[in-house]
Amino acid sequence: IIALSNAPIKLSFHGFPGSMGASFIHYLTSDPKTTPPEYQSWYTEKLVILPYTYLLNDHRQSRREVVTKDVEGVPSRAELGFDEDDVIL
């Protein structure tokens, strides 16, 4: 779908840290630890390095059902003011 988009600039924002390998994605935002600037040659996208950031990559948080809901000390979505179907970035 993104390949067919009319958007003049397309970027991948701080999600998957690897290159998409697609000429139609122009930029990849990341941090200096996950994608060091000297690795630019390995990316089809132009790297936009955000200072003072780090891409957290805990596999247990990638899907809600992986995390046990009854972990002690972890507030529920409702306690944080979110609905069960809210997307939290």
Side-chain angles (χ1 to χ4, degrees), residues 28-49:
L28 178 132
T29 59
S30 190
D31 62 78
K33 295 288 186 191
T34 306
T35 53
E38 58 268 22
Y39 288 8
Q40 175 62 68
S41 65
W42 296 99
Y43 287 82
T44 57
E45 306 86 353
K46 174 138 177 69
L47 295 178
V48 177
I49 305 298

Side-chain angles (χ1 to χ4, degrees), residues 60 63-72 74:
R60 294 172 297 165
R63 296 184 58 148
R64 284 192 300 175
E65 63 271 17
V66 175
V67 180
T68 304
K69 293 188 179 207
D70 298 329
V71 177
E72 187 176 326
V74 176

Side-chain angles (χ1 to χ4, degrees), residues 2-33:
I2 194 169
L4 301 175
S5 170
N6 288 330
I9 296 174
K10 300 172 190 85
L11 94 151
S12 174
F13 180 75
H14 220 73
F16 176 66
S19 177
M20 300 297 275
S23 62
F24 52 82
I25 298 179
H26 305 103
Y27 298 95
L28 178 132
T29 59
S30 190
D31 62 78
K33 295 288 186 191

Side-chain angles (χ1 to χ4, degrees), residues 74-88:
V74 176
S76 69
R77 294 168 71 84
E79 290 172 325
L80 294 172
F82 296 104
D83 292 331
E84 279 300 312
D85 59 348
D86 283 349
V87 175
I88 303 169

